[in-house]
Amino acid sequence: MTAPFDPDRLLDVLLAHQVEFIIVGASAAVLQGAPVRTADLDIVHLRTDVNVARLLAALQSIDAHARLRPDRRIAPSASHLLGEGHILLSTALGPLDVLGTLEPGVGYAELLPDSVRVELDGRVVRALSLERLIRAKRAANRAKDLAVLPVLEATLDEVRKRK
Amino acid sequence: MSDARDGEPDPFLENAEDDNGVDRSLIRWMLSLTPRERLRVLAAEAAFGVNARVLDEPDSE
């Protein structure tokens, strides 16, 4: 049985372990007001030894293991998290995708200028901006990414109207 | 019977969708929530999807 998706508590765990990360994907869009759906949390993390150690501790606390091999319950290692790949995990708080890079060569440091601060009851997380999310979806050029573009663009338009 | 005032569009008949078919009223509603509330909406929708799949399994009653 898959654990229910609880993005709120997933973020709390990452913050409690002082992990530096940027939320990307549909969850980032939701945080900024887009009415889109997803069943996982995608993050791009800072790939330094210190941050990876914090992330590893956070993942251990929520029993993270490889989502594609649930029968073997393979836990991620520091070497996995230091790489550029996409680590797809099942956790006690639902699916979590830990991405070394969003696109080839585009990791935490490259995305940071395109991220926005989002306050969650006094705690701050970083999410990829709607503008950058739209660019990423366009570049990906897959049917599932293109399908969500009108909603992201309309959300960006509504956000701008409010400023 | 409509309760709309003269000259104003009826709020129940007004089209909320833009030219791309996106319901702008849903976006405005999401923007009225706090980020944490938006996450809770996301979690609730995901839970609904899981529950619907469980109900769809052959041995569930």
Side-chain angles (χ1 to χ4, degrees), chain A residues 86-99:
Chain A
H86 294 185
I87 313 294
L88 312 185
L89 300 167
S90 283
T91 79
L93 299 173
L96 171 66
D97 293 353
V98 177
L99 317 181

Side-chain angles (χ1 to χ4, degrees), chain A residues 104-135:
Chain A
V106 180
Y108 178 92
E110 292 75 22
L111 295 173
L112 194 57
D114 289 324
S115 67
V116 295
R117 289 160 55 92
V118 179
E119 195 175 315
L120 297 172
D121 297 343
R123 304 173 96 176
V124 174
V125 293
R126 286 202 162 270
L128 199 60
S129 69
L130 282 172
E131 291 92 334
R132 184 65 177 84
L133 275 171
I134 289 167
R135 286 210 323 262

Side-chain angles (χ1 to χ4, degrees), chain A residues 1 5-8 11-12 26-27 30-40 118-121 123 150-151 153-155 157-159 161-162, chain B residues 18 20-51 53-54:
Chain A
M1 176 76 184
F5 179 45
D6 192 338
D8 200 3
L11 290 173
D12 278 345
S27 295
V30 169
L31 277 169
Q32 293 168 82
V36 294
R37 291 182 180 182
T38 185
D40 64 14
V118 179
E119 195 175 315
L120 297 172
D121 297 343
R123 304 173 96 176
V151 178
E153 287 167 342
T155 304
D157 181 52
E158 290 292 333
V159 169
K161 280 181 190 168
R162 288 173 173 234
Chain B
D18 65 17
N20 289 318
V22 177
D23 187 339
R24 295 285 184 129
S25 69
L26 270 183
I27 293 173
R28 291 175 197 135
W29 176 73
M30 280 288 276
L31 288 173
S32 74
L33 305 177
T34 67
R36 196 172 281 272
E37 288 169 336
R38 293 171 195 158
L39 282 184
R40 288 177 184 151
V41 170
L42 183 60
E45 286 179 341
F48 176 79
V50 170
N51 290 336
R53 280 202 299 278
V54 169

Side-chain angles (χ1 to χ4, degrees), chain A residues 6-17:
Chain A
D6 192 338
D8 200 3
R9 287 182 59 205
L10 268 173
L11 290 173
D12 278 345
V13 168
L14 295 170
L15 290 170
H17 285 82

